[in-house]
Amino acid sequence: MIFFSDLDNTLIYSKRKIAGNYICVDKKEGKEISYLLNTVYQWILKQPLLTIPVSTRSLEEYQRITIHPRFSYALVANGGILLKDGQIDRVWREETLQLIMDCQSQFELAKRYLYQYEHDISSLRMVNQCYLFIKSNAQDKWIAELKDILDLQKVTIIPFDRKIYILPTLLTKGNAIKRLQHRFVELKQPNIAAGDNLFDISMLKLATTAITLDCPKMRSALQMHPDSHFYHPKQQAPIYFSEYILKLISDKLT
């Protein structure tokens, strides 16, 4: 069995979202950014089953995580980059760029449009040539306007907090897992997947067992899934989502 997992807010947390015994696993310019509960950290080190991170983090953001050499495989940039034993798989990278080639014109169109309003946007950048990242307080405004000018057959617009992600429709976590299983047939086996938001739905739908947060959007997306589990923080506190995931995995393995 294989465990495919999102990282942020699934296994790792910012300091304001964590308490108790934890360890820092992500620093930027000397500043602590992200943490793992000690119990989760020890579980990962023991590797009770093959764990494969599947993250929207950029390559650079992922490489900051100090536990990443422990993973034999990792999918980052929403599946646009495959790391094998910590090294970039160049064949995968070229395949990704070919896969999303038709989306480049959409990224350029969005950038040209948004550059007119730089004063309203705190960040606008391409991430590893895979997707466009935008940060702004006027999130709803930009989403509405981008939907009017972009080809939504080619790209998907996903909001998250004050951020907007414009991703190729083919660059999903689910498609990345399908590519991985096609490339490495030994990975095509029953699996557990965990994730907390819209980026994770395609991955969760593919999984034999899906674990996610208890909210209307995730419940609706997984309503037809035969083995889905929903974590509700108010009902299951003080257990964290990551601890809830590990307990479910332990139950599956016994």
Side-chain angles (χ1 to χ4, degrees):
M1 187 174 285
I2 296 172
F3 176 40
F4 292 104
S5 184
D6 176 47
L7 291 175
D8 294 280
N9 299 315
T10 298
L11 292 183
I12 66 178
Y13 302 92
S14 64
K15 193 162 189 175
R16 64 186 176 85
K17 293 183 178 181
I18 197 168
N21 295 317
Y22 54 81
I23 183 170
C24 177
V25 293
D26 177 11
K27 290 183 180 180
K28 182 179 181 181
E29 297 173 354
K31 181 182 178 182
E32 295 186 352
I33 303 291
S34 303
Y35 305 82
L36 269 171
L37 289 170
N38 269 317
T39 52
V40 178
Y41 182 74
Q42 294 302 322
W43 183 89
I44 290 172
L45 294 183
K46 291 175 184 175
Q47 296 258 343
L49 77 173
L50 179 61
T51 299
I52 301 179
V54 188
S55 178
T56 307
R57 278 188 173 223
S58 70
L59 174 63
E60 297 75 19
E61 290 168 337
Y62 175 77
Q63 288 176 327
R64 292 200 314 251
I65 299 175
T66 53
I67 58 170
H68 74 82
R70 295 283 181 175
F71 301 117
S72 299
Y73 303 89
L75 291 162
V76 299
N78 220 53
I81 296 174
L82 167 65
L83 297 176
K84 180 75 171 68
D85 296 322
Q87 301 300 311
I88 296 172
D89 187 304
R90 300 295 175 184
V91 173
W92 182 283
R93 181 72 172 137
E94 289 305 314
E95 288 175 351
T96 295
L97 295 177
Q98 288 295 316
L99 189 68
I100 66 174
M101 186 180 295
D102 286 349
C103 300
Q104 299 306 317
S105 61
Q106 298 300 304
F107 296 141
E108 292 303 319
L109 179 59
K111 286 192 288 185
R112 284 198 303 271
Y113 180 78
L114 293 169
Y115 279 146
Q116 302 175 75
Y117 307 98
E118 287 184 278
H119 57 284
D120 285 336
I121 296 170
S122 56
S123 181
L124 173 61
R125 58 187 171 88
M126 282 296 298
V127 176
N128 301 138
Q129 297 177 274
C130 290
Y131 63 83
L132 189 61
F133 171 86
I134 303 145
K135 193 171 184 180
S136 171
N137 287 324
Q139 185 193 69
D140 291 342
K141 172 187 174 182
W142 300 130
I143 290 173
E145 295 189 15
L146 288 167
K147 283 183 176 179
D148 282 339
I149 66 170
L150 298 180
D151 184 345
L152 300 182
Q153 297 297 312
K154 294 182 178 180
V155 295
T156 302
I157 302 171
I158 298 181
F160 187 77
D161 291 335
R162 292 174 51 233
K163 306 163 191 173
I164 303 169
Y165 296 78
I166 302 178
L167 300 110
T169 54
L170 294 176
L171 193 69
T172 67
K173 293 185 178 185
N175 282 344
I177 290 172
K178 288 179 183 177
R179 289 172 63 192
L180 190 70
Q181 292 173 330
H182 178 75
R183 176 88 168 273
F184 303 99
V185 292
E186 66 273 19
L187 300 182
K188 198 169 186 178
Q189 55 181 283
N191 63 81
I192 299 170
D196 69 298
N197 60 48
L198 297 178
F199 295 98
D200 303 311
I201 288 173
S202 61
M203 172 176 70
L204 294 167
K205 284 182 174 180
L206 282 179
T208 310
T209 299
I211 310 171
T212 189
L213 297 185
D214 192 353
C215 66
K217 285 183 179 179
M218 303 308 283
R219 276 198 174 270
S220 176
L222 294 172
Q223 61 182 332
M224 302 302 292
H225 194 286
D227 187 18
S228 53
H229 302 263
F230 300 91
Y231 168 81
H232 195 293
K234 290 185 178 178
Q235 293 177 2
Q236 275 128 347
I239 294 173
Y240 281 86
F241 183 36
S242 57
E243 294 174 307
Y244 175 82
I245 293 166
L246 299 198
K247 181 173 188 313
L248 280 172
I249 291 175
S250 296
D251 291 345
K252 292 283 183 183
L253 294 177
T254 56

